Structure formats: structure tokens, C-alpha cells
Amino acid sequence: MTTSSLEDSGYKHIHATADPNRYERQLRVFHDITGFTKLGVAFENTSDGRSYAAIDMINSLSKTLGFSVQACHTKSDISDTRLAEYSVIKCFQTLAEQVDAIYVTEQGGVTETSLPILIRIANEHKIPTFSQSGAEEVKFGVLASLSQANFKYFGQFHAETMAKLFNGAQPYQLSQLFEEPPRMAVNLKTAEIIGFNPPLLLLGASDEIYREIVRPK
């Protein structure tokens, strides 16, 4: 939900949840575990597309961590899903020849139909991938993402918020900032295919470990 600020939803009767640094945490973790030097990102080159893919953050973080960014433009916000899927597949084919890691961003062309193809392209080129959307894509073969652990931490945050409301607090008085603990999801089969040896710290921080690549139904 869009909020007025981290402290204020804009309405006294509404409490929203905000996690403004989620995507930055994702990329920092991805960089920590793989040490990539050239990151590939496929996204629609529109205001919304750049926002969804967190391009400004990626470019800023690249200067801090010392990696370069290779962009490839897709079609996302269109009615023709097949065309959107094809555009992402073409981008992965291009990026796989140019980068040493790919950040799999949320967009219209990343679907259960296209994802197995995207994974195959990345794996054939031994390229580690990280899902922006979360652990569901890790189950399908993306190397890693932040774990949602069945939304346990998210649910706990809202349960605590509701308890405070039941005890007399007003929605606008409560903190909206929620940052998930640094827990991971990792696909060990993908790691094996691309020759990536997961560090013990990654395995120790993983709530979700997949040993096979599941094909979407």
C-alpha cells in the first residue's frame, strides 16, 4: 500500500506496512554470497517499469558495492502476455552472454510459463539468479531470494499491531516500518547445476531450502 510517509499512512484510521529497503537488502545479500561484478536486469523502460524493478536503487548501490549494471528492456504493461514473456526471454538470452548474475525482477513477462525457460537460459550459462518477488520463484529454480517463511514474520508484525489496537492504540500512532529478518530461500539443485557452492552462512540463514527444481503447474 502507498503511504504518506513511513510514520503516517495519511489517514488516522488506517495503518499501512512499509519496507522501503527490501530490494536493497536483496541485492546486498546477493552480492555478498556471489560476489558478482556485472549484474543483468531486464525491465520495461517506463516510469512504472523502472520503479517496479528498483532501477534507481540498483544504480546507486552499484556505485557503493562496485559492480556494473547491464540493462535490457522488455515489454511488461501490455495485454499480450506472450509478447511480454518473449521480450523477457530474449533479454535473458542477451544478458546471459554479458553478465555474471541476473536479478529477476517482477514484471508481466515473468510468468509460470516463461520462468522455466528463463531458468534454463541462466543455468546453461552458469549464471546465479536472485528473485525480487520471493521464494516461490526459488522453488521453480531461481538460485536464491529472501525467504517469506510462509509470511510468519509478516503475520507476527500484524498480530502485534492488532494487539496494540485492541488495547486502545490508534492506527496512526503505531509504527508502519516492517523489515523482514535476513532469512533466505535457496535452491540447491540450481546451485549444483551452475557450480555454485553455497557458503555455510547462507545455508545457516535459510528458512527455505529446495533440493529440486519444481516445474510450475
Side-chain angles (χ1 to χ4, degrees), residues 129-199:
T129 49
F130 196 101
S131 170
Q132 182 185 51
S133 69
E136 184 75 3
E137 290 184 351
V138 177
K139 178 172 69 174
F140 297 144
V142 174
L143 175 65
S145 186
L146 292 186
S147 170
Q148 291 156 324
N150 297 318
F151 296 97
K152 176 175 66 176
Y153 307 114
F154 189 71
Q156 181 178 345
F157 174 82
H158 281 290
E160 292 174 354
T161 297
M162 292 175 65
K164 293 173 183 177
L165 294 174
F166 291 149
N167 282 279
Q170 297 298 311
Y172 68 92
Q173 296 174 323
L174 302 178
S175 173
Q176 299 183 136
L177 179 62
F178 169 72
E179 291 190 351
E180 291 179 321
R183 307 301 296 175
M184 297 293 298
V186 62
N187 192 303
L188 296 184
K189 186 62 177 181
T190 295
E192 176 187 339
I193 292 171
I194 68 174
F196 173 73
N197 186 21

Side-chain angles (χ1 to χ4, degrees), residues 34-196:
T34 64
F36 62 79
T37 60
K38 194 166 189 178
L39 180 69
V41 188
F43 61 95
E44 186 175 61
N45 194 26
T46 62
S47 178
D48 285 345
R50 294 176 66 86
S51 177
Y52 293 149
I55 293 303
D56 289 345
M57 178 279 296
I58 293 172
N59 287 332
S60 176
L61 193 61
S62 71
K63 297 178 177 63
T64 302
L65 298 183
F67 62 85
S68 63
V69 180
Q70 182 65 45
C72 186
H73 298 152
T74 64
K75 297 182 183 296
S76 177
D77 191 17
I78 58 176
S79 59
D80 190 338
T81 302
R82 287 190 178 182
L83 181 57
E85 292 168 343
Y86 177 75
S87 72
V88 181
I89 291 168
K90 291 296 291 183
C91 269
F92 266 57
Q93 290 172 335
T94 299
L95 291 173
E97 301 287 347
Q98 302 172 338
V99 303
D100 58 357
I102 294 178
Y103 186 45
V104 186
T105 60
E106 295 185 69
Q107 56 182 297
V110 178
T111 68
E112 290 190 353
T113 299
S114 66
L115 195 57
I117 302 172
L118 303 178
I119 299 304
R120 185 175 70 245
I121 293 169
N123 287 355
E124 285 177 351
H125 288 81
K126 311 297 184 185
I127 293 179
T129 49
F130 196 101
S131 170
Q132 182 185 51
S133 69
E136 184 75 3
E137 290 184 351
V138 177
K139 178 172 69 174
F140 297 144
V142 174
L143 175 65
S145 186
L146 292 186
S147 170
Q148 291 156 324
N150 297 318
F151 296 97
K152 176 175 66 176
Y153 307 114
F154 189 71
Q156 181 178 345
F157 174 82
H158 281 290
E160 292 174 354
T161 297
M162 292 175 65
K164 293 173 183 177
L165 294 174
F166 291 149
N167 282 279
Q170 297 298 311
Y172 68 92
Q173 296 174 323
L174 302 178
S175 173
Q176 299 183 136
L177 179 62
F178 169 72
E179 291 190 351
E180 291 179 321
R183 307 301 296 175
M184 297 293 298
V186 62
N187 192 303
L188 296 184
K189 186 62 177 181
T190 295
E192 176 187 339
I193 292 171
I194 68 174
F196 173 73

